[in-house]
Amino acid sequence: MVDIVSDAGVAPRLAAVRARIALACRDCGRDPASVTLVCVSKTFPAAHVLPALEAGERIFGENRVQEAEAKWPALRERFPDLDLHLIGPLQSNKAHDAVACFDTIETVDRPKIVRALADAAAKAGRCPTLFVQVNTGAEPQKAGVLPQEADAFIASCRTEHGLPLAGLMCIPPVDDQASPHFALLAAIAARNGLSALSMGMSADYPLAIPLGATHVRVGSAIFGER
Ligand SMILES: *Cc1c(COP(=O)(O)O)cnc(C)c1O
């Protein structure tokens, strides 16, 4: 974990992100309450995350199960109304741990994970809110279902495994314009009757809002460089 000397910058940076979301919403006629800010706290220790919790934030994103297990159970005792999102790749042998630790899993992307999550959810008696990750840029190194396979994958999650899906998530290629990827994700969600769209990070969340983002995942703009 990163050793942070001071976390005094978190509250003002968070306020600036909140203001930027409100501005982007105003520009496109959306209600700011329709955009959920997921504060991405990966790599930062609890002490650095605390100012965001104290400012009222309850929705956080982590990309590793083990790191979240070490950081969040103690914070959850103080802030029981957390909504913790897994935004990093999930291994099927970690599905039970992920269901125990996370309220939302944004990275469902292959049949093996779907089966493992369905099994873990049945045993736990609760199912996290689920998003399917779509690899909109078809990047070989990146997780996510390919765009042309998304419809069939979404259908199989619903029919074969009875898993309720909330929406879709994407991470556009770093060197591409993000907007066409956001538009593609929105189109796949619309034709599959999915309402939630997790898209937009520190560099591009204001672009994702006019294209329909319901969740923006913002890390460095709030917590500083990792
Ligand atoms: C790290 C991460 C983010 C946040 O990235 P920033 O550029 O720091 O805002 C968002 N989504 C995912 C999937 C990430 O891994």
Side-chain angles (χ1 to χ4, degrees):
M1 287 193 188
V2 179
D3 189 22
I4 299 298
V5 180
S6 163
D7 55 18
V10 169
R13 282 193 299 259
L14 175 61
V17 168
R18 282 270 172 217
R20 191 70 191 80
I21 291 172
L23 187 66
C25 285
R26 201 189 62 189
D27 282 349
C28 64
R30 291 187 60 188
D31 178 357
S34 69
V35 178
T36 297
L37 172 61
V38 180
C39 302
V40 176
S41 49
K42 66 187 186 196
T43 77
F44 290 101
H48 196 74
V49 177
L50 207 50
L53 285 156
E54 283 165 348
E57 299 300 330
R58 291 295 181 270
I59 308 172
F60 290 83
E62 290 282 344
N63 66 339
R64 294 181 56 225
V65 176
Q66 252 185 314
E67 181 183 342
E69 285 174 331
K71 193 190 301 182
W72 283 96
L75 290 169
R76 202 185 277 279
E77 287 187 14
R78 279 182 67 187
F79 304 96
D81 52 340
L82 284 177
D83 177 6
L84 194 57
H85 287 227
L86 177 62
I87 60 171
L90 178 60
Q91 304 304 316
S92 55
N93 64 358
K94 287 274 167 70
H96 283 87
D97 295 340
V99 166
C101 185
F102 289 93
D103 307 282
T104 302
I105 295 177
E106 297 202 16
T107 50
V108 179
D109 71 347
R110 55 198 191 280
K112 199 175 173 192
I113 286 296
V114 175
R115 283 192 296 275
L117 284 174
D119 181 52
K123 286 195 178 116
R126 58 172 276 279
C127 189
T129 300
L130 300 176
F131 288 67
V132 169
Q133 182 177 353
V134 181
N135 185 357
T136 55
E139 295 173 276
Q141 84 288 1
K142 194 165 273 177
V145 48
L146 291 170
Q148 64 271 26
E149 291 166 4
D151 294 358
F153 181 74
I154 291 163
S156 82
C157 289
R158 288 167 160 163
T159 57
E160 287 169 36
H161 303 282
L163 286 181
L165 298 178
L168 304 179
M169 177 273 232
C170 76
I171 310 168
V174 277
D175 296 327
D176 273 16
Q177 289 254 347
S179 291
H181 295 273
F182 298 155
L184 173 59
L185 196 72
I188 297 170
R191 69 175 181 244
N192 284 283
L194 291 167
S195 56
L197 284 171
S198 175
M199 55 192 200
M201 320 201 322
S202 291
D204 52 25
Y205 67 93
L207 292 176
I209 289 171
L211 292 168
T214 61
H215 295 67
V216 292
R217 309 178 309 271
V218 181
S220 49
I222 298 170
F223 295 111
E225 294 303 322
R226 291 181 293 272

